[in-house]
């Protein structure tokens, strides 16, 4: 298990980072009109080389124009006061249809910034639109880039890809890698420390969660013959482990056996879930009733007693369960309240 107090240790131990040189850092101010760190701010010495799943990327100078693709990478520069020139459009969890999640909207407002160019990635990366933003670096430390995606993006600007596993980068590593690429490693460390403190305080206020084993699932109402769940390679499940909740043996075993972020098991093997205290899934009361009436699923103790944390599908709160630098401050209390409500039903 990776308890929350070990998050800072991860910052100094990320093996994927190889710094060519390192210097001091200072406070960085945002530039709302296009997104760069202040030229007056001291930063990590460049060039910087970052190793990742596709090899390594060298960034020769501190980037002034930062773009990002895939989920939440843009939140790292925003959390550090830097407005990206372009970022992925939100298509899941967007409450008002503007392509920007509420915590990102809030931060843009605080920075006095306009919404950056949005990249529609529903059918893959829009390489032409990314190129039009003329970035100095493209952040994708948490992503599912293919080799072809990486090669094409690399013709536009240096690309910071995920370290090993597609969609398997932890929150702390995403912050670390992206902040190093921006020349803001010290600020990244401070951000992780701040998020750690927020989560520690939120957990302390909800003692019912202490020691509970939690499984983050996806249950298809049209096919309950399979129980799909996220391994701890995925930030949803990995975050729960990081903050001190217990990973059930079935999740730990599947995580050790695969590099995949999501796996499924036959519901006929429901005894494998007997020691799960809390199920988390996307859906509402109708889904819970459906699951509790299923002949196989209802044999799982957590399902029987209703220890299921339901996250209303495609809402901002559901989106925040995939933790990101800005969503934690926005929704961690509400998220843990839902988990605590399910924990209260554990005998």
């Amino acid at each position: 298990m990776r308890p929350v107090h070990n998050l800072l240790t991860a910052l100094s131990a990320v093996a994927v980072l190889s710094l060519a040189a390192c210097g001091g850092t200072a406070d960085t101010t945002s530039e709302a009109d296009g997104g760069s760190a202040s030229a007056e701010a001291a930063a990590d010495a460049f060039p910087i080389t970052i190793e990742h799943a596709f090899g390594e990327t060298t960034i020769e100078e501190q980037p002034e124009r930062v773009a990002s693709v895939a989920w939440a990478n843009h939140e790292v520069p925003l959390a550090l006061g830097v407005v990206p020139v372009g970022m992925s459009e939100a298509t899941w969890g967007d409450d008002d249809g503007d392509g920007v999640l509420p915590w990102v909207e809030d931060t843009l407002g605080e920075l006095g910034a306009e919404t950056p160019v949005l990249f529609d990635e529903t059918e893959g990366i829009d390489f032409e639109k990314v190129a039009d933003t003329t970035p100095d670096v493209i952040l994708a430390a948490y992503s599912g880039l293919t080799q072809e995606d990486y090669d094409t993006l690399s013709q536009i600007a240096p690309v910071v890809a995920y370290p090993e596993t597609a969609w398997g980068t932890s929150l702390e590593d995403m912050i670390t890698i992206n902040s190093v690429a921006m020349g803001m490693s010290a600020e990244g460390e401070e951000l992780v420390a701040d998020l750690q403190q927020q989560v520690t305080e939120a957990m302390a206020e909800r003692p019912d969660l202490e020691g509970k084993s939690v499984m983050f699932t996806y249950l298809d109402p049209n096919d309950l013959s399979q129980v799909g769940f996220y391994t701890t390679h995925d930030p949803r499940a990995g975050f729960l482990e990081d903050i001190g909740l217990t990973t059930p043996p079935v999740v730990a075993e599947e995580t050790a056996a695969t590099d995949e972020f999501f796996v499924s098991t036959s519901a006929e093997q429901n005894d494998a879930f007997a020691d799960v205290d809390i199920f988390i899934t996307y859906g509402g009361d109708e889904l819970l009733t459906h699951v509790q009436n299923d002949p196989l699923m209802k044999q799982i103790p957590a399902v029987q007693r209703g220890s299921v944390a339901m996250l209303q599908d495609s809402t901002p709160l559901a989106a925040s369960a995939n933790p990101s630098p800005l969503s934690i401050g926005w929704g961690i209390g509400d998220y843990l309240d839902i988990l605590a409500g399910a924990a209260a039903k554990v005998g």
Side-chain angles (χ1 to χ4, degrees), residues 243-277:
I243 68 177
L245 296 170
T246 300
T247 298
V250 63
V251 178
E253 291 166 6
E254 290 293 339
T255 299
T258 183
D259 289 333
E260 298 296 323
F261 68 91
F262 185 83
V263 297
S264 62
T265 299
S266 171
E268 294 180 351
Q269 308 298 319
N270 49 41
D271 56 337
F273 310 113
D275 51 6
V276 177
D277 292 323

Side-chain angles (χ1 to χ4, degrees), residues 283-294:
D285 293 340
E286 183 177 346
L287 174 61
L288 178 58
T289 299
H290 183 47
V291 172
Q292 288 180 315
N293 288 329
D294 182 82

Side-chain angles (χ1 to χ4, degrees), residues 174-188:
M174 178 181 74
I175 294 171
T176 301
I177 296 168
N178 286 336
S179 63
V180 166
M182 296 169 59
M184 302 178 70
S185 60
E187 291 88 342

